[in-house]
Each structure stands twice: as structure tokens, then as C-alpha cells.
Amino acid sequence: MSQNSDTAAGVLRRSVAALPPHRGPQIEEDLNAKPGALRRMSLNESAEPPSPKVAAAVAAAVVNANRYPDPRARALAEAISDRTEVPVSRIAFGNGSHELIMLMGTAFMEAGSRIVVPSPSFQPYQTAARIAGAELSIVPVDAEGANDVDAMLAACTPVPRMVIAATPNNPTGALLSQVALDKLIAGVPKTTLLVIDEAYYEFGRLAGGPDVLKALKARKAPWLVLRTFSKAYNLAGLRVGYALASHDEIVEGINRVRGVFNVNRLAQAAALAALSDEPYARASQKRTAAERDRLAVGLKAMGLSPLPSAANFVCVKTSKPASDVVSALARKGIMIVPVGGPPYENHIRITLGTPEDTDAVLTALKEVL
Ligand SMILES: Cc1ncc(COP(=O)(O)O)c(C=O)c1O
């Protein structure tokens, strides 16, 4: 028998083989451009650098890069605990909150369990469930792009293992109202893990969104909140996300399946420094929110109807297939993404950047549409 085979597909776990092909998000190099040569308005990052305090903290931390990092990120956990009043024993860290979502798949999902997720929303919820062999109940968002709480609760019969909600939701940008949030918290069965992804938490609060953590404290049943330093703290490149949970057991579950040193030394130092400079982060968030509102006004002036966004991006339906609009904008040096999937074939998502980015994307859209 030959040692070499034409394919190694047979070595994949069956649930992994069944996943769609891996297509990482595009960066400039995928479009044959140099880093920074295009307006990158596609990945819901911040266009602004992190606080100078972050640069100083990273420079100080790199001196000890020969040593593994704190496997529990104690200093960071304490700083987050001080701000959230969630004890350190109920805080877990991930290499970005994306990693935490994948870890949730390993720790909490399995064949025979069912997971309720919104759609369109952050795709890794579905990927994690598919890898674990869990069943998915996919619930369309409402007309404004918010998670449809009534429909999600209707999907809670029979009792699911987990319900995942996102507020603000990506890619639509809409918040859950206080009423909808309270209904979700009260209605999700007591044995179900209710996960609320608040990757855009700081923007959501700035836009007047409800205090999710406060509302969840009333839930005498398992819950988990996901947050990140990638968006509002300008740290996407360093990969720090965290989970706040109702019970020690939930954090213990995540800790059992994660890499021991999953958040590196520079990332821990950077996140701590970013937290120590709230005025910097806040000012950056406000500039982003101002661009969001300016972009929405510009889109409306073109006769478009952007979905109401409380995040660092705007989702809007255009008159053309989104993939055509995305390609046309890429030719003009602007990277955005299509939403895709019915009924979002014509919807695009634009991440906010600088005022010049806003002007450029509006001008380009006027030419293309
Ligand atoms: C809703 C949502 N959750 C989680 C993430 C993951 O963020 P990160 O892994 O950078 O923390 C994102 C990123 O875009 C997101 O939109």
C-alpha cells in the first residue's frame, strides 16, 4: 500500500469535515495590497491606536517574555472584578472572546444538546455548536436587527442546553431593549445556560443600552456574559476577551478546557493598562459613535435605511447584491463586508473609522449605487 494518499481528509473529526471551508476574514494582503494601504472598514476593529499607557506597559512586559504569563491573569481579573463586582472566581479569560466561544463549545455543548442562537449573528456560535455535534435552533433577528426574544423563548421548548444572545448584535448593530432583556432573563429555563455576548458593551452603554450585568444578577440560574478588549479598548491585535459568570462551576468548566497560558504576557499587561486609562478609551469610543451617527445621516441622505446601530459599525441594505458592492468598494480602496444569507443578500456592514474614512465610504457608495 502506498504511503502517500491524495487526501488527508479522512483524518478530520467528522463534525469538522462537515464544516464549510475555512475562509479567514480578508486583510489587505488578500487583496494584494500593503498593510494600511486600504481603508479597513471590515473587521469591527478600532481605527485608533491604543492608549500610550498600553505601549509603555507592553514595552515593560516584554522584558519578561522568557517567562510564561500568569495562567489566571490575576491582576487583570482583580481590575475587572473591581469594576463589575463579579468575584475573580467567576471570571474567565480567552485569546479574544472568540476563543471563549469555542471553549464554550468544548465545555458546555455535546451531541444531544441543543443551542438557540440568533441569525444573522456572530458565526462562531454556530461553528462551536457544529463541532460539538450539538443541535442548533437558529432564530432570525427582528426587522430592526435586534435579537427576537419572543421567538428565542419559543425555541426554548424542549429545554435547550444554552441560549446565546448578542447585544448589540453583530452584524446588524441593534441593542436589546430593557424590556426584551428582562423578558429573556426571566424566560430562559432555569437549567439552561444563558449567554449574552456583549462584545460591543461599551458602545451599547454609550448609546443608552440597558445594564445587562445588573439585570442578570436577578437571574437565579446559570448565565455568562462575554466581553472583549478588542473593540472599545482598541486592542484587537492583542487578543483579550473575558467571561463573567453566575457560578464558579461555569468558569471552572472553561478553565478545564482552555490552554493554560492562553492569554499572553503582553496582552495581559496591555489590557490592564487600557483599563487604567478609561478617559482615553472613552474619548475614542465617543469619536467612533460620532462617526457612526454621521455615516447613518449620510446613508439616509442617499435614500438608504441603515439599521439602528449601537456598535462601532453600521449595517445597511443597498440596491445591489452586497458582494458586488463590496468588490466595487475594494477597487476604490475600501474594505467592507457583505452580510449575506436570506434576506440579507443586499446588506453590507461598514465598520467606523476616521472622519476621512466616513467621507470616503459615502463618496464611494454614491458612485457605486
Ligand atoms: C458579537 C461578537 N462576539 C465576539 C467577537 C470576538 O471578538 P474578539 O475575539 O476580538 O474578542 C466579535 C468580533 O467581531 C463579535 O462581533
Side-chain angles (χ1 to χ4, degrees), residues 89-106:
S89 62
R90 296 204 263 120
I91 303 176
F93 290 95
N95 196 266
S97 52
H98 186 167
E99 187 195 32
L100 285 164
I101 293 163
M102 302 315 286
L103 294 171
M104 284 176 1
T106 314

Side-chain angles (χ1 to χ4, degrees), residues 44 96-98 101 122 125 170 197 199-200 228 230-231 239-240:
N44 294 353
S97 52
H98 186 167
I101 293 163
F122 195 49
Y125 311 146
N170 175 17
D197 186 343
Y200 305 93
T228 180
S230 296
K231 316 292 180 183
R239 319 298 302 123
V240 191

Side-chain angles (χ1 to χ4, degrees), residues 3-12:
Q3 290 285 314
N4 292 319
S5 150
D6 285 345
T7 171
V11 304
L12 292 181

